Amino acid sequence: QVQVVESGGGSAQPGGSLRLSCAASGNILAIYDMRWYRLAPGNQRELVAGITSDENTHYIDSVKGRFTISRDDAKKSVYLQMNSLKPEDTAVYSCYADIRHLDGYRVVYWGQGTQVTVSS
């Protein structure tokens, strides 16, 4: 079994920072792409940032220069450092992990989602 668990969400003031974490555990052979998505009420779900197994990164334009995605394969984790937060960053942030099981099968997992609220 594989479990993906997020942490680090909460509230911040505009201009503040939060760091989201997502840790995978279980019968994992390898982890390929890891991503952060977000969904705000009335909006479509959007890919915020992604990182490949060789650490190539991608960011949606609205967070470039403010957010940084990173991974620690020893800890089977992905992080999203969120700086210079804006109210429009308010959303539920979800972690995505593309995982190969020990039995060889490859499956995408999602974290439970964590709320980020940016307001004064």
Side-chain angles (χ1 to χ4, degrees):
Q1 292 185 285
V2 171
Q3 187 174 20
V4 178
V5 179
E6 300 166 338
S7 61
S11 297
Q13 293 182 320
S17 297
L18 290 171
R19 182 175 174 85
L20 306 183
S21 299
C22 175
S25 61
N27 297 328
I28 298 169
L29 180 63
I31 303 178
Y32 302 106
D33 283 6
M34 304 185 83
R35 303 170 182 169
W36 290 97
Y37 289 80
R38 68 186 181 189
L39 179 64
N43 292 3
Q44 293 182 308
R45 186 182 305 275
E46 62 183 356
L47 173 62
V48 179
I51 185 166
T52 65
S53 57
D54 57 355
E55 300 194 20
N56 288 321
T57 59
H58 168 79
Y59 302 92
I60 192 170
D61 284 347
S62 61
V63 309
K64 287 181 178 176
R66 301 189 297 120
F67 292 9
T68 302
I69 189 170
S70 60
R71 63 190 289 158
D72 184 338
D73 286 339
K75 297 181 178 180
K76 298 182 177 64
S77 296
V78 62
Y79 309 95
L80 188 66
Q81 179 66 46
M82 308 166 67
N83 298 328
S84 302
L85 284 164
K86 302 176 179 179
E88 51 263 44
D89 296 319
T90 296
V92 175
Y93 285 71
S94 299
C95 174
Y96 163 113
D98 181 1
I99 291 173
R100 190 178 297 280
H101 291 201
L102 293 177
D103 65 9
Y105 285 92
R106 187 166 172 174
V107 181
V108 170
Y109 290 87
W110 291 84
Q112 77 281 5
T114 184
Q115 177 71 46
V116 171
T117 302
V118 184
S119 66
S120 59

